[in-house]
Amino acid sequence: MNSVLVEFEVLPSFRAPQGGCLTQEMLDAYDVAGVILLQDFVSVERCAALRTRALELVEQFDPAEVKSVFSTTEQTQLDDSYFIDSGDKIRFFLENDAFDEAGVLRQPKHMSLNKMGHAMHDLDPVFDAFSRTAELGEAAKRLGFGDPAIIQSMYIFKPPHIGGEVVCHQDSTYIYTEPESCVGFWFALEDATIENGCMYFIPGAHRLPLKQRNYRNADGTLTTETIDDTPWPEHLRLPAEAHTGTLVIFNGRAPHMSGPNRSEVSRHAYTLHAIDRQARYPAENWLQRSPELPLRGFQQ
Ligand code: FE2
């Protein structure tokens, strides 16, 4: 076994602390594992309200607009531009298997989406209110942020039957700062189980190197550079099964993945990524925002 890895039987999981005041025990577990689960961080009612709002936004989306973009699994420059310009917008990304051979959606629109991103937290009042609470601000402070800023939000649909697998990766590959400061805040809006494609983490593996970096090229395309091609010790991965309302906090270096959803039920989740404004944010990161939409932290 790699020397940095500690054997765990389950991922560290706690009842959410009052007011987001992460205890020393929680912070120690986060430090060792690179990930912690906080049960009941958000009420079931607030999760339901965010799901309702997401579905309202989906109603305004016309899949025909992006049909050509996603009619092939080959990445094209058009794919990249729809994605690469979405850092300060609300855009919709379909599952690879959304369309059948005849070009017709296999399932209803809301069951065909992979995700929505990447600035709901700044552009939509309901998402803004969910993303900026005293509890999250306090948690970020206790995690060591000097000046946190929410750089992106993603609504993950993981629809039944066609929800795609996500291969093992580190989020700092895409949200890179110097020094690295990316932290993920992932909220289960529905129960996430092994059957419907929950996340998995390799505890302790956030101490391994950053293995890849993603760059925005001058011509508007994206490149992922492999720095270290050592395979992940995926046999040490543990499932992050999570009830509705659970918050999973994970280090930007923490390798994680999720299985496909072949079940009958969706697995909606909402993710925020925070960076520290005291760190340098490179112009080569794919996600760039208009100066008209300045970064904000967890304060309303
Ligand atoms: Fe990720």
Side-chain angles (χ1 to χ4, degrees), residues 84-89 118-119 122-123 150-151 216 281 286-296:
I84 208 168
D85 297 337
S86 67
D88 51 8
K89 298 180 182 67
H118 288 88
D122 284 324
L123 297 174
I150 308 175
I151 184 77
R216 168 197 280 255
Y281 189 80
W286 80 266
L287 198 164
Q288 302 292 332
R289 291 160 54 108
S290 157
E292 285 152 38
L293 199 66
L295 284 174
R296 294 164 55 210

Side-chain angles (χ1 to χ4, degrees), residues 169 171 250 256:
H169 66 282
D171 289 349
F250 58 101
H256 58 284

Side-chain angles (χ1 to χ4, degrees), residues 6-298:
V6 186
E7 280 216 58
F8 283 75
E9 292 191 355
V10 292
L11 295 175
S13 184
F14 304 89
R15 285 295 305 253
Q18 280 292 322
C21 298
L22 303 181
T23 64
Q24 194 57 49
E25 186 190 5
M26 294 171 188
L27 293 169
D28 290 347
Y30 176 76
D31 194 45
V32 173
V35 53
I36 49 171
L37 284 73
L38 300 174
Q39 303 150 32
D40 300 314
F41 194 94
V42 184
S43 71
V44 168
E45 292 74 23
R46 289 187 63 223
C47 292
L50 199 69
R51 288 206 311 273
T52 300
R53 180 59 187 153
L55 294 177
E56 286 171 8
L57 294 173
V58 169
E59 277 309 301
Q60 299 163 21
F61 162 66
D62 178 5
E65 286 171 21
V66 295
K67 187 171 167 182
S68 59
V69 178
F70 288 90
S71 61
T72 168
T73 53
E74 291 293 309
Q75 283 286 305
T76 66
Q77 192 166 336
L78 190 57
D79 288 350
D80 286 344
S81 69
Y82 184 78
F83 175 82
I84 208 168
D85 297 337
S86 67
D88 51 8
K89 298 180 182 67
I90 299 177
R91 285 195 170 166
F92 299 86
F93 301 90
L94 290 159
E95 285 289 353
N96 276 336
D97 294 335
F99 294 105
D100 65 15
E101 295 73 25
V104 177
L105 284 182
R106 292 174 201 273
Q107 304 190 144
K109 191 165 57 171
H110 70 280
M111 288 166 62
S112 301
L113 287 161
N114 173 282
K115 68 179 174 184
M116 166 169 71
H118 288 88
M120 289 85 71
H121 63 296
D122 284 324
L123 297 174
D124 182 82
V126 178
F127 276 86
D128 183 0
F130 189 97
S131 308
R132 295 186 166 95
T133 62
E135 289 82 7
L136 279 171
E138 184 62 30
K141 195 165 125 191
R142 294 195 179 222
L143 286 165
F145 275 97
D147 188 7
I150 308 175
I151 184 77
Q152 74 169 17
S153 50
M154 292 192 292
Y155 191 98
I156 312 289
F157 293 88
K158 201 72 146 181
H161 311 297
I162 61 168
E165 175 189 6
V166 177
V167 298
C168 194
H169 66 282
Q170 296 161 299
D171 289 349
S172 285
T173 290
Y174 305 96
I175 304 170
Y176 182 78
T177 64
E178 290 171 346
E180 284 171 47
S181 63
C182 173
V183 173
F185 296 81
W186 182 102
F187 301 87
L189 301 178
E190 296 181 303
D191 291 348
T193 65
I194 289 171
E195 291 71 33
N196 69 9
C198 70
M199 287 195 294
Y200 290 80
F201 288 85
I202 306 171
H206 63 302
R207 300 203 184 278
L208 296 173
L210 185 66
K211 289 189 189 288
Q212 290 190 307
R213 248 196 88 183
N214 180 268
Y215 294 95
R216 168 197 280 255
N217 301 313
D219 65 359
T221 58
L222 296 169
T223 301
T224 302
E225 177 199 4
T226 297
I227 304 158
D228 173 353
D229 63 2
T230 315
W232 293 113
E234 288 193 35
H235 60 289
L236 297 175
R237 74 180 195 172
L238 292 172
E241 291 193 294
H243 285 298
T244 306
T246 300
L247 168 62
V248 182
I249 304 178
F250 58 101
N251 189 294
R253 276 267 185 115
H256 58 284
M257 67 215 85
S258 65
N261 184 4
R262 301 279 176 252
S263 81
E264 299 292 317
V265 295
S266 58
R267 196 221 74 186
H268 287 199
Y270 178 57
T271 311
L272 296 170
H273 283 92
I275 54 167
D276 204 314
R277 264 180 284 214
Q278 293 171 354
R280 188 181 81 86
Y281 189 80
E284 301 79 39
N285 278 0
W286 80 266
L287 198 164
Q288 302 292 332
R289 291 160 54 108
S290 157
E292 285 152 38
L293 199 66
L295 284 174
R296 294 164 55 210
F298 288 102

